[in-house]
Amino acid sequence: MPGWYRPAPTGPPAAASPRRYAYRCGYCRADPGGHLHDTITIHGLRKTFGNTVALDGLDLEVATGEVHGFVGPNGSGKSTTIRILLGLLHADAGEVVLLGGDPWRDTVALHRRLAYVPGEVSLWPQLSGGEAIDLLGRLRGGFDPRRKAELLERFDLDPTKTGRSYSKGNRQKVALVAALASEVELLILDEPTSGLDPLMESVFQRCIEEAKAAGRTVLLSSHILSEVEALCDRVSILRQGAVVQRGTLDELRRVTRTTVVATLDRIPDDLASWEGVHDLAVHDARVRLSIETPVLTGFMGRLAGCGIVSLVTQPPTLEELFLREYADRPE
Amino acid sequence: MNEPLTGVGVLIRHAVRLDRVRLLVWVLGITFIPVVTYATYATTYPTQADRLALSATLRSNPSFSLLLGPASNLTGAGGYTAWRTVVITGVFAAVMSILTVVRHTRSDEETGRTELLAAGCVGRYAPLASGVATAVIASLAVGAAIAIGLVASGGGTAGAIAFAASVAAAGIVFAAVAAVAAQIASFARTAISLSVGILALAYLIRAWGDASAFHWVTWVSPLGWTEKMNPFSANRWWMLVLSAAATVALTVLAARLAARRDFGRGLIAAHHGPVDASPRLSGAFGLAWRLHRGRLIGWSLGLAVYGTLIGSVARSIASVIANSALAKTFLGTGHDFVALYLAEIIGLMGIVGTVYGIQALLTARTEEVEGRVELLLSTPLTRDRWLASHLLFALAGSALVVIVGALSAGVTANLDGASTSIGAVFAGALVQIPAVWLIIGVTAVLFGTVPRMSVLAWSIITATFIISFFGPLLKLPRAILDLSAFTHVPRLPGGSVDALPLVVLPVGAVVLLAVALVTFRRRSIAS
């Protein structure tokens, strides 16, 4: 059973990831001020609600300047993690360092440097969208009104409607405009596009690319996997309150399987027992199988000996990674 | 789907089931008013002399006509109960109907529940019809309960049924009014405001008709019909025809409007707001002002009107009390009964002000539950400052409301010729404030420690009201009377001042508020 591709939950992240330690620590008791932190460092985070374990030893590292995908199904602990990062919830155990500070203790100082878009945006029924954006912007210390006007136009949002007459997607746009208009180092976005149409989705993606180009860090919780694939430098996949996979998309692909469809002159009898081969299906001269990506080279060499007539290989999409992670291990 | 009412039976059963506790509370609460008035008449005015004096005083004062309608026959329990309570009971039944209809029509449409139903096997008019039917059922239940209660208290059957029918009719007519409003307005809040506005107009039209020379005006108002039924005296049954005709006409209008408008929209479009916020909408306190100002202005105006009406009848009521056998037995003679009466009214305003304060503070809880606090607290806004912004309106707002109400009563009583000093009335209002703040402090501690229990504040104020206003009548033991903060408040004007409660109550309030702020800092924010 090739279980080796799955790093232990507490182990170090895959080594190839680009890393810029940026925040001088004002927090860790053992060594105050003596070392540097990522934008977000979480170790062994635990949180229970009554009998429900929401977070079960979660580790997360978000490097400065990266767009980090935070992926997992509903109830896997994404929002709980984010709410602990925002100082709205108190963690039961574990270490959380946000922008070099403690999110529970240094709440106000840290909040000057970040903006947040909740998954379920609720606006004040009697305030117009424009007023809500201004209010949030002023609370974050003010912003450029031209930036607001530009974002309103790009997101095609009518700011004169009142909070109670916006649809879910438009409420999300209000929170997005307020967050993107402010000059902050970190954007924490909790499923920010679940109510947006494909056109707005692409506007959103351009805005995130611009934020990244401006040097901002983005924590993007999402289950729209094409969006994560398009935007994120690195991805952490959650399952039942812990991160079970993390790394760049390439690293994640390396630990999973590639789909191969080939038409061969001769189909070897023992193909099913070749190293790393799974899900073999044979139709006449055509075979369809999935192969563990690390042994792909050796496999192709052996396959060439069988006389390849046609060959299609398909790297795993994030969706496949995701489904595999959950399909392999039933709840 | 050709049957426009398909599924209405299922919807009605669902609505009644959903509302069973809510409607039961309404029915019992509304029934309580006339039944208790009827049952206590004999003990309050035991002799024929008492009753004649009562009748003579109340008839001569036009303010009472304005408030309650013209007094006809006050020497019997039935006539007195009808005069004293039928209009106000009708108003409560109407409010119940309005809230029920809007809840099952416009609210459901706003939140998208109706859409789920409309896509299923449900006729076009079924949601509207079931909302109205639920309110009609509730109104009939109110009528039945009142009829049974009055007969059980010794009322004549015909009079009791006439009383019950006139109240139920008010409930049913305003169910139809709300049905129309729910088609016109795009939002539940607007529909409720519109319906309650029409109810207020109906009350004013009735009041003006009764108090002016143009008595026919009263007949224009549905509440006038309730009054003119004249239960226990004339028993004008044919008034029900007017109510029934209005109900049918309004329901048909509502159905016509429902057929013409688009789903999810009203006839008046949603209003638009500004693109940019005014400079004042900045920070927690700027936001709190926007969230609280409507309610604060509404409550202040309401208590100003109530105080004015109460003040204008203060002397008449005081003389009724002074001449009653009950007062002579229990209080003796030689009191300043106007001052006693005003002190009682100011005590009531203290409790009403507390209701405002609790409502204002629970806005904070609504903001939390609906998820807006999460967004606010993700900005550099401290929890202290955010909670303080709502506490400010709860504390200062409740004080303002009590003072406005008390001064309105004091000033109009003086204009009417009473000799109670305005300063004493103002002092009477001021001494209420520590007790008001103490209860708001308890509410704040609930919010800070066990937020889910915040609504217990309503039980506390209800218990306080019952202890303070019925405790002495029910002869409750001292230990229970002392549980109400208002028991310890000096009764001004007229009473003596004990300094101890005026120190203990404010200190208690300050401690509670501090506890609330500290515990709120440490707790989780609801998602």
PDB file of all heavy atoms in Angstrom, chain A residues 83 87-88 111 116 122-124 128 130-131 134 138 148 160 164, chain B residues 272-278 281 290 367 370 372 374 377 383 525:
ATOM      1  N   ARG A  83     -12.071  32.442  11.724  1.00  0.00           N
ATOM      2  CA  ARG A  83     -12.637  33.224  12.820  1.00  0.00           C
ATOM      3  C   ARG A  83     -11.689  33.266  14.018  1.00  0.00           C
ATOM      4  O   ARG A  83     -11.701  34.235  14.772  1.00  0.00           O
ATOM      5  CB  ARG A  83     -14.015  32.674  13.184  1.00  0.00           C
ATOM      6  CG  ARG A  83     -15.035  32.942  12.051  1.00  0.00           C
ATOM      7  CD  ARG A  83     -16.232  32.036  12.099  1.00  0.00           C
ATOM      8  NE  ARG A  83     -16.839  32.079  13.413  1.00  0.00           N
ATOM      9  CZ  ARG A  83     -17.553  33.095  13.867  1.00  0.00           C
ATOM     10  NH1 ARG A  83     -17.764  34.131  13.081  1.00  0.00           N
ATOM     11  NH2 ARG A  83     -18.048  33.080  15.065  1.00  0.00           N
ATOM     12  N   GLY A  87      -9.670  36.713  15.684  1.00  0.00           N
ATOM     13  CA  GLY A  87      -9.882  37.016  17.105  1.00  0.00           C
ATOM     14  C   GLY A  87     -11.348  37.001  17.504  1.00  0.00           C
ATOM     15  O   GLY A  87     -11.709  37.560  18.538  1.00  0.00           O
ATOM     16  N   LEU A  88     -12.198  36.365  16.686  1.00  0.00           N
ATOM     17  CA  LEU A  88     -13.621  36.280  17.042  1.00  0.00           C
ATOM     18  C   LEU A  88     -13.875  35.073  17.929  1.00  0.00           C
ATOM     19  O   LEU A  88     -14.807  35.048  18.717  1.00  0.00           O
ATOM     20  CB  LEU A  88     -14.471  36.172  15.776  1.00  0.00           C
ATOM     21  CG  LEU A  88     -14.413  37.357  14.828  1.00  0.00           C
ATOM     22  CD1 LEU A  88     -15.060  37.008  13.498  1.00  0.00           C
ATOM     23  CD2 LEU A  88     -15.095  38.562  15.436  1.00  0.00           C
ATOM     24  N   HIS A 111      -5.853  44.165  12.960  1.00  0.00           N
ATOM     25  CA  HIS A 111      -6.961  44.427  12.037  1.00  0.00           C
ATOM     26  C   HIS A 111      -6.746  45.673  11.187  1.00  0.00           C
ATOM     27  O   HIS A 111      -7.399  45.839  10.163  1.00  0.00           O
ATOM     28  CB  HIS A 111      -8.279  44.522  12.815  1.00  0.00           C
ATOM     29  CG  HIS A 111      -8.762  43.184  13.308  1.00  0.00           C
ATOM     30  ND1 HIS A 111      -9.974  43.006  13.919  1.00  0.00           N
ATOM     31  CD2 HIS A 111      -8.173  41.962  13.258  1.00  0.00           C
ATOM     32  CE1 HIS A 111     -10.108  41.729  14.246  1.00  0.00           C
ATOM     33  NE2 HIS A 111      -9.036  41.087  13.868  1.00  0.00           N
ATOM     34  N   TYR A 116     -11.273  41.556   5.525  1.00  0.00           N
ATOM     35  CA  TYR A 116     -11.921  40.250   5.579  1.00  0.00           C
ATOM     36  C   TYR A 116     -13.223  40.286   4.805  1.00  0.00           C
ATOM     37  O   TYR A 116     -13.973  41.259   4.872  1.00  0.00           O
ATOM     38  CB  TYR A 116     -12.163  39.910   7.052  1.00  0.00           C
ATOM     39  CG  TYR A 116     -13.127  38.780   7.336  1.00  0.00           C
ATOM     40  CD1 TYR A 116     -12.911  37.506   6.839  1.00  0.00           C
ATOM     41  CD2 TYR A 116     -14.244  38.990   8.144  1.00  0.00           C
ATOM     42  CE1 TYR A 116     -13.786  36.464   7.130  1.00  0.00           C
ATOM     43  CE2 TYR A 116     -15.124  37.957   8.438  1.00  0.00           C
ATOM     44  CZ  TYR A 116     -14.894  36.696   7.926  1.00  0.00           C
ATOM     45  OH  TYR A 116     -15.760  35.682   8.221  1.00  0.00           O
ATOM     46  N   SER A 122     -23.765  39.663   5.544  1.00  0.00           N
ATOM     47  CA  SER A 122     -25.023  40.264   5.970  1.00  0.00           C
ATOM     48  C   SER A 122     -24.803  41.768   6.072  1.00  0.00           C
ATOM     49  O   SER A 122     -23.853  42.217   6.698  1.00  0.00           O
ATOM     50  CB  SER A 122     -25.409  39.678   7.331  1.00  0.00           C
ATOM     51  OG  SER A 122     -26.466  40.391   7.898  1.00  0.00           O
ATOM     52  N   LEU A 123     -25.670  42.544   5.411  1.00  0.00           N
ATOM     53  CA  LEU A 123     -25.515  44.005   5.429  1.00  0.00           C
ATOM     54  C   LEU A 123     -26.634  44.637   6.240  1.00  0.00           C
ATOM     55  O   LEU A 123     -27.651  44.006   6.501  1.00  0.00           O
ATOM     56  CB  LEU A 123     -25.534  44.558   4.002  1.00  0.00           C
ATOM     57  CG  LEU A 123     -24.392  44.075   3.100  1.00  0.00           C
ATOM     58  CD1 LEU A 123     -24.619  44.560   1.674  1.00  0.00           C
ATOM     59  CD2 LEU A 123     -23.054  44.557   3.615  1.00  0.00           C
ATOM     60  N   TRP A 124     -26.452  45.890   6.615  1.00  0.00           N
ATOM     61  CA  TRP A 124     -27.480  46.589   7.382  1.00  0.00           C
ATOM     62  C   TRP A 124     -28.655  46.888   6.463  1.00  0.00           C
ATOM     63  O   TRP A 124     -28.474  47.512   5.411  1.00  0.00           O
ATOM     64  CB  TRP A 124     -26.895  47.872   7.960  1.00  0.00           C
ATOM     65  CG  TRP A 124     -25.840  47.554   8.949  1.00  0.00           C
ATOM     66  CD1 TRP A 124     -26.021  47.315  10.281  1.00  0.00           C
ATOM     67  CD2 TRP A 124     -24.440  47.386   8.700  1.00  0.00           C
ATOM     68  NE1 TRP A 124     -24.807  46.988  10.855  1.00  0.00           N
ATOM     69  CE2 TRP A 124     -23.840  47.026   9.928  1.00  0.00           C
ATOM     70  CE3 TRP A 124     -23.641  47.476   7.564  1.00  0.00           C
ATOM     71  CZ2 TRP A 124     -22.478  46.778  10.045  1.00  0.00           C
ATOM     72  CZ3 TRP A 124     -22.288  47.230   7.683  1.00  0.00           C
ATOM     73  CH2 TRP A 124     -21.717  46.887   8.912  1.00  0.00           C
ATOM     74  N   SER A 128     -27.397  51.890   2.445  1.00  0.00           N
ATOM     75  CA  SER A 128     -27.143  51.539   1.048  1.00  0.00           C
ATOM     76  C   SER A 128     -25.792  50.835   0.968  1.00  0.00           C
ATOM     77  O   SER A 128     -24.973  50.919   1.893  1.00  0.00           O
ATOM     78  CB  SER A 128     -27.142  52.797   0.184  1.00  0.00           C
ATOM     79  OG  SER A 128     -25.965  53.550   0.425  1.00  0.00           O
ATOM     80  N   GLY A 130     -23.296  51.582  -0.899  1.00  0.00           N
ATOM     81  CA  GLY A 130     -22.232  52.589  -0.874  1.00  0.00           C
ATOM     82  C   GLY A 130     -21.912  53.031   0.542  1.00  0.00           C
ATOM     83  O   GLY A 130     -20.749  53.213   0.910  1.00  0.00           O
ATOM     84  N   GLU A 131     -22.962  53.185   1.349  1.00  0.00           N
ATOM     85  CA  GLU A 131     -22.742  53.591   2.743  1.00  0.00           C
ATOM     86  C   GLU A 131     -22.010  52.510   3.523  1.00  0.00           C
ATOM     87  O   GLU A 131     -21.127  52.803   4.336  1.00  0.00           O
ATOM     88  CB  GLU A 131     -24.086  53.906   3.411  1.00  0.00           C
ATOM     89  CG  GLU A 131     -24.704  55.212   2.944  1.00  0.00           C
ATOM     90  CD  GLU A 131     -26.037  55.489   3.623  1.00  0.00           C
ATOM     91  OE1 GLU A 131     -26.900  54.584   3.627  1.00  0.00           O
ATOM     92  OE2 GLU A 131     -26.205  56.602   4.147  1.00  0.00           O
ATOM     93  N   ASP A 134     -18.373  52.603   2.610  1.00  0.00           N
ATOM     94  CA  ASP A 134     -17.698  53.740   3.248  1.00  0.00           C
ATOM     95  C   ASP A 134     -17.489  53.499   4.732  1.00  0.00           C
ATOM     96  O   ASP A 134     -16.432  53.801   5.284  1.00  0.00           O
ATOM     97  CB  ASP A 134     -18.505  55.031   3.042  1.00  0.00           C
ATOM     98  CG  ASP A 134     -18.369  55.549   1.621  1.00  0.00           C
ATOM     99  OD1 ASP A 134     -17.610  54.932   0.857  1.00  0.00           O
ATOM    100  OD2 ASP A 134     -19.018  56.557   1.285  1.00  0.00           O
ATOM    101  N   ARG A 138     -13.917  53.427   6.382  1.00  0.00           N
ATOM    102  CA  ARG A 138     -13.535  54.389   7.419  1.00  0.00           C
ATOM    103  C   ARG A 138     -13.073  53.675   8.675  1.00  0.00           C
ATOM    104  O   ARG A 138     -12.154  54.123   9.353  1.00  0.00           O
ATOM    105  CB  ARG A 138     -14.713  55.308   7.729  1.00  0.00           C
ATOM    106  CG  ARG A 138     -14.945  56.326   6.628  1.00  0.00           C
ATOM    107  CD  ARG A 138     -16.261  57.054   6.814  1.00  0.00           C
ATOM    108  NE  ARG A 138     -16.552  57.833   5.610  1.00  0.00           N
ATOM    109  CZ  ARG A 138     -17.687  58.475   5.416  1.00  0.00           C
ATOM    110  NH1 ARG A 138     -18.635  58.444   6.326  1.00  0.00           N
ATOM    111  NH2 ARG A 138     -17.882  59.149   4.301  1.00  0.00           N
ATOM    112  N   LYS A 148     -12.695  53.094  -4.877  1.00  0.00           N
ATOM    113  CA  LYS A 148     -14.045  52.568  -4.660  1.00  0.00           C
ATOM    114  C   LYS A 148     -14.858  52.662  -5.952  1.00  0.00           C
ATOM    115  O   LYS A 148     -15.491  51.683  -6.374  1.00  0.00           O
ATOM    116  CB  LYS A 148     -14.730  53.360  -3.541  1.00  0.00           C
ATOM    117  CG  LYS A 148     -16.207  53.038  -3.363  1.00  0.00           C
ATOM    118  CD  LYS A 148     -16.848  53.999  -2.366  1.00  0.00           C
ATOM    119  CE  LYS A 148     -18.359  53.987  -2.434  1.00  0.00           C
ATOM    120  NZ  LYS A 148     -18.976  55.089  -1.683  1.00  0.00           N
ATOM    121  N   THR A 160     -26.525  52.150  -4.706  1.00  0.00           N
ATOM    122  CA  THR A 160     -27.627  52.902  -4.092  1.00  0.00           C
ATOM    123  C   THR A 160     -28.706  51.992  -3.517  1.00  0.00           C
ATOM    124  O   THR A 160     -29.587  52.454  -2.815  1.00  0.00           O
ATOM    125  CB  THR A 160     -28.296  53.847  -5.111  1.00  0.00           C
ATOM    126  OG1 THR A 160     -28.928  53.041  -6.110  1.00  0.00           O
ATOM    127  CG2 THR A 160     -27.282  54.761  -5.761  1.00  0.00           C
ATOM    128  N   ARG A 164     -31.215  45.437   2.378  1.00  0.00           N
ATOM    129  CA  ARG A 164     -32.209  44.369   2.325  1.00  0.00           C
ATOM    130  C   ARG A 164     -32.627  44.015   0.912  1.00  0.00           C
ATOM    131  O   ARG A 164     -33.249  42.999   0.695  1.00  0.00           O
ATOM    132  CB  ARG A 164     -33.431  44.692   3.186  1.00  0.00           C
ATOM    133  CG  ARG A 164     -34.232  45.878   2.793  1.00  0.00           C
ATOM    134  CD  ARG A 164     -35.583  45.867   3.486  1.00  0.00           C
ATOM    135  NE  ARG A 164     -35.540  46.323   4.868  1.00  0.00           N
ATOM    136  CZ  ARG A 164     -35.652  47.591   5.246  1.00  0.00           C
ATOM    137  NH1 ARG A 164     -35.766  48.549   4.332  1.00  0.00           N
ATOM    138  NH2 ARG A 164     -35.650  47.930   6.508  1.00  0.00           N
TER     139      ARG A 164
ATOM    140  N   HIS B 272     -34.001  53.933  -2.854  1.00  0.00           N
ATOM    141  CA  HIS B 272     -32.558  53.896  -3.053  1.00  0.00           C
ATOM    142  C   HIS B 272     -31.861  54.809  -2.066  1.00  0.00           C
ATOM    143  O   HIS B 272     -32.411  55.790  -1.597  1.00  0.00           O
ATOM    144  CB  HIS B 272     -32.207  54.297  -4.481  1.00  0.00           C
ATOM    145  CG  HIS B 272     -32.521  53.200  -5.463  1.00  0.00           C
ATOM    146  ND1 HIS B 272     -31.572  52.567  -6.209  1.00  0.00           N
ATOM    147  CD2 HIS B 272     -33.691  52.598  -5.773  1.00  0.00           C
ATOM    148  CE1 HIS B 272     -32.137  51.623  -6.940  1.00  0.00           C
ATOM    149  NE2 HIS B 272     -33.432  51.633  -6.697  1.00  0.00           N
ATOM    150  N   GLY B 273     -30.627  54.456  -1.733  1.00  0.00           N
ATOM    151  CA  GLY B 273     -29.844  55.247  -0.793  1.00  0.00           C
ATOM    152  C   GLY B 273     -28.709  55.960  -1.505  1.00  0.00           C
ATOM    153  O   GLY B 273     -28.552  55.835  -2.726  1.00  0.00           O
ATOM    154  N   PRO B 274     -27.923  56.722  -0.767  1.00  0.00           N
ATOM    155  CA  PRO B 274     -26.834  57.475  -1.382  1.00  0.00           C
ATOM    156  C   PRO B 274     -25.666  56.572  -1.799  1.00  0.00           C
ATOM    157  O   PRO B 274     -25.483  55.494  -1.249  1.00  0.00           O
ATOM    158  CB  PRO B 274     -26.392  58.428  -0.266  1.00  0.00           C
ATOM    159  CG  PRO B 274     -26.802  57.755   0.997  1.00  0.00           C
ATOM    160  CD  PRO B 274     -28.028  56.961   0.682  1.00  0.00           C
ATOM    161  N   VAL B 275     -24.894  57.036  -2.795  1.00  0.00           N
ATOM    162  CA  VAL B 275     -23.711  56.306  -3.250  1.00  0.00           C
ATOM    163  C   VAL B 275     -22.617  56.361  -2.192  1.00  0.00           C
ATOM    164  O   VAL B 275     -21.918  55.384  -1.939  1.00  0.00           O
ATOM    165  CB  VAL B 275     -23.191  56.907  -4.580  1.00  0.00           C
ATOM    166  CG1 VAL B 275     -21.912  56.211  -5.010  1.00  0.00           C
ATOM    167  CG2 VAL B 275     -24.253  56.781  -5.652  1.00  0.00           C
ATOM    168  N   ASP B 276     -22.480  57.556  -1.577  1.00  0.00           N
ATOM    169  CA  ASP B 276     -21.449  57.734  -0.556  1.00  0.00           C
ATOM    170  C   ASP B 276     -22.113  58.034   0.781  1.00  0.00           C
ATOM    171  O   ASP B 276     -23.157  58.679   0.834  1.00  0.00           O
ATOM    172  CB  ASP B 276     -20.521  58.896  -0.928  1.00  0.00           C
ATOM    173  CG  ASP B 276     -19.824  58.633  -2.255  1.00  0.00           C
ATOM    174  OD1 ASP B 276     -19.165  57.585  -2.350  1.00  0.00           O
ATOM    175  OD2 ASP B 276     -19.966  59.455  -3.177  1.00  0.00           O
ATOM    176  N   ALA B 277     -21.477  57.568   1.839  1.00  0.00           N
ATOM    177  CA  ALA B 277     -22.011  57.813   3.174  1.00  0.00           C
ATOM    178  C   ALA B 277     -21.714  59.242   3.597  1.00  0.00           C
ATOM    179  O   ALA B 277     -20.703  59.815   3.203  1.00  0.00           O
ATOM    180  CB  ALA B 277     -21.388  56.843   4.159  1.00  0.00           C
ATOM    181  N   SER B 278     -22.612  59.834   4.383  1.00  0.00           N
ATOM    182  CA  SER B 278     -22.357  61.158   4.918  1.00  0.00           C
ATOM    183  C   SER B 278     -21.214  61.049   5.922  1.00  0.00           C
ATOM    184  O   SER B 278     -20.966  59.977   6.472  1.00  0.00           O
ATOM    185  CB  SER B 278     -23.604  61.711   5.600  1.00  0.00           C
ATOM    186  OG  SER B 278     -23.642  61.307   6.950  1.00  0.00           O
ATOM    187  N   LEU B 281     -21.668  59.095   9.200  1.00  0.00           N
ATOM    188  CA  LEU B 281     -21.716  57.633   9.284  1.00  0.00           C
ATOM    189  C   LEU B 281     -20.285  57.115   9.307  1.00  0.00           C
ATOM    190  O   LEU B 281     -19.740  56.661   8.321  1.00  0.00           O
ATOM    191  CB  LEU B 281     -22.481  57.050   8.097  1.00  0.00           C
ATOM    192  CG  LEU B 281     -22.603  55.525   8.088  1.00  0.00           C
ATOM    193  CD1 LEU B 281     -23.318  55.016   9.316  1.00  0.00           C
ATOM    194  CD2 LEU B 281     -23.301  55.043   6.844  1.00  0.00           C
ATOM    195  N   ARG B 290     -27.437  55.669  13.280  1.00  0.00           N
ATOM    196  CA  ARG B 290     -28.276  55.269  12.149  1.00  0.00           C
ATOM    197  C   ARG B 290     -29.208  54.121  12.526  1.00  0.00           C
ATOM    198  O   ARG B 290     -30.359  54.060  12.115  1.00  0.00           O
ATOM    199  CB  ARG B 290     -27.409  54.839  10.965  1.00  0.00           C
ATOM    200  CG  ARG B 290     -26.978  55.966  10.079  1.00  0.00           C
ATOM    201  CD  ARG B 290     -28.137  56.661   9.392  1.00  0.00           C
ATOM    202  NE  ARG B 290     -28.738  55.852   8.342  1.00  0.00           N
ATOM    203  CZ  ARG B 290     -28.298  55.819   7.108  1.00  0.00           C
ATOM    204  NH1 ARG B 290     -27.270  56.544   6.744  1.00  0.00           N
ATOM    205  NH2 ARG B 290     -28.892  55.054   6.216  1.00  0.00           N
ATOM    206  N   GLU B 367     -27.532  42.239  15.669  1.00  0.00           N
ATOM    207  CA  GLU B 367     -26.371  42.503  14.822  1.00  0.00           C
ATOM    208  C   GLU B 367     -25.395  41.332  14.858  1.00  0.00           C
ATOM    209  O   GLU B 367     -24.790  40.983  13.847  1.00  0.00           O
ATOM    210  CB  GLU B 367     -25.650  43.775  15.300  1.00  0.00           C
ATOM    211  CG  GLU B 367     -26.410  45.055  15.025  1.00  0.00           C
ATOM    212  CD  GLU B 367     -26.272  45.483  13.581  1.00  0.00           C
ATOM    213  OE1 GLU B 367     -25.195  45.940  13.173  1.00  0.00           O
ATOM    214  OE2 GLU B 367     -27.270  45.341  12.846  1.00  0.00           O
ATOM    215  N   GLU B 370     -27.056  38.061  13.114  1.00  0.00           N
ATOM    216  CA  GLU B 370     -27.163  38.156  11.661  1.00  0.00           C
ATOM    217  C   GLU B 370     -25.800  38.287  10.988  1.00  0.00           C
ATOM    218  O   GLU B 370     -25.719  38.361   9.776  1.00  0.00           O
ATOM    219  CB  GLU B 370     -28.099  39.307  11.287  1.00  0.00           C
ATOM    220  CG  GLU B 370     -29.509  38.989  11.773  1.00  0.00           C
ATOM    221  CD  GLU B 370     -30.564  39.934  11.261  1.00  0.00           C
ATOM    222  OE1 GLU B 370     -30.217  40.895  10.552  1.00  0.00           O
ATOM    223  OE2 GLU B 370     -31.741  39.709  11.588  1.00  0.00           O
ATOM    224  N   ARG B 372     -23.372  40.670  11.201  1.00  0.00           N
ATOM    225  CA  ARG B 372     -22.772  41.953  10.840  1.00  0.00           C
ATOM    226  C   ARG B 372     -21.655  42.349  11.798  1.00  0.00           C
ATOM    227  O   ARG B 372     -20.734  43.067  11.427  1.00  0.00           O
ATOM    228  CB  ARG B 372     -23.848  43.034  10.784  1.00  0.00           C
ATOM    229  CG  ARG B 372     -24.824  42.795   9.650  1.00  0.00           C
ATOM    230  CD  ARG B 372     -25.805  43.915   9.495  1.00  0.00           C
ATOM    231  NE  ARG B 372     -26.851  43.878  10.492  1.00  0.00           N
ATOM    232  CZ  ARG B 372     -28.002  43.236  10.350  1.00  0.00           C
ATOM    233  NH1 ARG B 372     -28.249  42.586   9.244  1.00  0.00           N
ATOM    234  NH2 ARG B 372     -28.900  43.246  11.291  1.00  0.00           N
ATOM    235  N   GLU B 374     -19.447  40.342  12.994  1.00  0.00           N
ATOM    236  CA  GLU B 374     -18.244  39.674  12.509  1.00  0.00           C
ATOM    237  C   GLU B 374     -17.498  40.590  11.537  1.00  0.00           C
ATOM    238  O   GLU B 374     -16.282  40.757  11.626  1.00  0.00           O
ATOM    239  CB  GLU B 374     -18.678  38.382  11.824  1.00  0.00           C
ATOM    240  CG  GLU B 374     -17.549  37.477  11.436  1.00  0.00           C
ATOM    241  CD  GLU B 374     -18.069  36.167  10.841  1.00  0.00           C
ATOM    242  OE1 GLU B 374     -18.987  35.570  11.431  1.00  0.00           O
ATOM    243  OE2 GLU B 374     -17.558  35.770   9.792  1.00  0.00           O
ATOM    244  N   LEU B 377     -16.109  43.681  13.516  1.00  0.00           N
ATOM    245  CA  LEU B 377     -14.976  43.394  14.396  1.00  0.00           C
ATOM    246  C   LEU B 377     -13.765  42.855  13.632  1.00  0.00           C
ATOM    247  O   LEU B 377     -12.725  42.614  14.217  1.00  0.00           O
ATOM    248  CB  LEU B 377     -15.390  42.412  15.503  1.00  0.00           C
ATOM    249  CG  LEU B 377     -16.376  42.975  16.533  1.00  0.00           C
ATOM    250  CD1 LEU B 377     -16.663  41.956  17.618  1.00  0.00           C
ATOM    251  CD2 LEU B 377     -15.875  44.268  17.155  1.00  0.00           C
ATOM    252  N   ARG B 383     -14.029  45.679  20.734  1.00  0.00           N
ATOM    253  CA  ARG B 383     -15.309  45.164  21.216  1.00  0.00           C
ATOM    254  C   ARG B 383     -15.930  46.135  22.210  1.00  0.00           C
ATOM    255  O   ARG B 383     -17.150  46.333  22.205  1.00  0.00           O
ATOM    256  CB  ARG B 383     -15.096  43.807  21.891  1.00  0.00           C
ATOM    257  CG  ARG B 383     -14.672  42.730  20.918  1.00  0.00           C
ATOM    258  CD  ARG B 383     -14.653  41.405  21.647  1.00  0.00           C
ATOM    259  NE  ARG B 383     -14.243  40.319  20.769  1.00  0.00           N
ATOM    260  CZ  ARG B 383     -14.484  39.045  21.025  1.00  0.00           C
ATOM    261  NH1 ARG B 383     -15.114  38.692  22.128  1.00  0.00           N
ATOM    262  NH2 ARG B 383     -14.088  38.121  20.190  1.00  0.00           N
ATOM    263  N   ILE B 525     -17.622  35.295  19.453  1.00  0.00           N
ATOM    264  CA  ILE B 525     -18.676  35.978  18.703  1.00  0.00           C
ATOM    265  C   ILE B 525     -19.433  34.925  17.912  1.00  0.00           C
ATOM    266  O   ILE B 525     -18.822  34.083  17.263  1.00  0.00           O
ATOM    267  CB  ILE B 525     -18.059  37.017  17.739  1.00  0.00           C
ATOM    268  CG1 ILE B 525     -17.219  38.033  18.504  1.00  0.00           C
ATOM    269  CG2 ILE B 525     -19.135  37.700  16.920  1.00  0.00           C
ATOM    270  CD1 ILE B 525     -17.981  38.894  19.466  1.00  0.00           C
TER     271      ILE B 525
END
